[in-house]
Every structure is written in C-alpha cells, then in structure tokens.
Amino acid sequence: MDHSHHPLLVELSYGLAFMTGVLGSGHCLGMCGGLVSGFFMKLGTRTFAPYLAYHLTRVGVYALIGLVAAALGTVLLQTGSFGKLQGLLQIVAGLLVILLGLDLLGVSPWRNSLGFAPIAWLRRQFLAATSRGVLPGAIIGGAINGLMPCSMTMAMAVKATTAPSVLEGGLLMLAFGAGTLPSMLSASFLFGRLGVRTRGWLLKGAALFVIVLGIATVWQGIRYYLVMQRLLG
C-alpha cells in the first residue's frame, strides 16, 4: 500500500500551499501591487467587479497550471517503471521546491529564471488588455498575471507534479491562489502601506513554508521508493 499519499500528508500539503500564499502576499504586493494598481488606473474602473474578476481569473489560471503539472507528472510516470520512478519524481520535485524556496530567501546557488510563457509576450498582452474593455480587460489581465514568473508559483507547480491525481494537483494550486486573494484583492488600498521590512519578513515566512513543503515531498518520495524497492527488489 502507498502511504506516501496519506490523507494527513495531502492535507498538510494543502495547508502549506495556502499559508505560502498568505505569507507570500507581502511579496506579491511588493512585486505586483504597483503593477495591479497601475493596470486598474489605466483600465479606468472604480467598481469592485473587475477587481474580483481579475483575481478570480488569476487564481483560476493557477488551478489550471496545477492540473497541467499533475497531468505531466502522470505522463512521466507512465513512460517508465511506475513503482520506483514515482518515488524518484517526488524526490527530484521536492529538491527543486527546496531550491525555489532558497531562491526566495536569496541564498540559493541556482536563481530561478523560469516562467510559464515568454516574459516579453506576457508584458505585451498585459499592456494591451486595458484596451479590451473593463470586464474583458480585467479577465485577460488576471490570466496574464497568473502566468508571470514567480518562484512561489513555480514551486507550487513543481509540487503539483507529484499530486496523487490530476484533480488534487489543481486543488493544491487553488489552495495557494486562495491564500493570495485577501491582500491582492486589496492591493489598491494596501500598496505602499506595507513597508519594505514587513514585506521582507512575510517573504521569508513564505519561503520557509515552501522549503518545508519541499522537505515533506522529498520525505514522501524516499518512503515510497524504499517501499517499492522492497516489493520489487
């Protein structure tokens, strides 16, 4: 029996992903607060609906990334020996998540330069979205925001490749996105009120949650690999 995906461990992953989103919100405000505020100033809206549409779309894109990542992990497993390969995938994914967490702390030997789409293309689409109308523009802008390079988002996506099912990969990213909602929905009000030092401490907290999530993933992979090694020889 596979104990590496015990319900308590799955719930722990969801909880860590959510707290990464909550604590990472300070980083989000620092990195994206001005971007979001400028976007809505150019969009020319004072109502709440476009803000909600923007951020729900952004979180929806995170969930979609989780589904794709989990499906990719499933495909990788089906191309080889399912048993030991599943454990190895978890170990590699966990190590990558740890590196991304260290990158957030600024102490990683490897700096993340990965994104979900070419950054130049994302910038063009983001700038052009404000000309598409208020609500459509907000939806397009939120979708583009969800694809922008971010070590936290990338760490959650890597973790999602080890999810027990495609649906659970989407739910993991959804939990992360839900954690970012409160502060990002209030970005226009909070931006500038959180000092650099406060955002720095929040980012460190988020990075630690990412590292713990990576360590837990490595531990699950080692346990599963050892179990399958005993069974398969």
Side-chain angles (χ1 to χ4, degrees), residues 165-181:
S165 69
V166 173
L167 177 60
E168 286 174 274
L171 290 175
L172 181 80
M173 290 292 288
L174 188 63
F176 165 70
T180 70
L181 270 177

Side-chain angles (χ1 to χ4, degrees), residues 134-147:
V134 175
L135 195 58
I139 292 172
I140 294 170
I144 297 300
N145 194 166
L147 294 171

Side-chain angles (χ1 to χ4, degrees), residues 190-205:
L190 294 178
F191 182 65
R193 296 187 183 182
L194 286 180
V196 174
R197 180 175 296 182
T198 302
R199 293 200 301 265
W201 280 110
L202 288 172
L203 177 58
K204 286 182 173 64

Side-chain angles (χ1 to χ4, degrees), residues 1 7 16 28 31 44 52 58 73 96 104 123 141 146 149 151 196 207:
M1 181 181 294
L16 289 172
C28 293
M31 296 295 291
L52 185 62
R58 176 178 59 83
L96 285 174
L104 287 169
R123 286 173 179 165
S151 288
V196 174

Side-chain angles (χ1 to χ4, degrees), residues 10-28:
V10 173
E11 290 176 13
L12 173 66
S13 294
Y14 291 153
L16 289 172
F18 179 78
M19 286 307 300
T20 297
V22 171
L23 293 175
S25 295
H27 173 67
C28 293

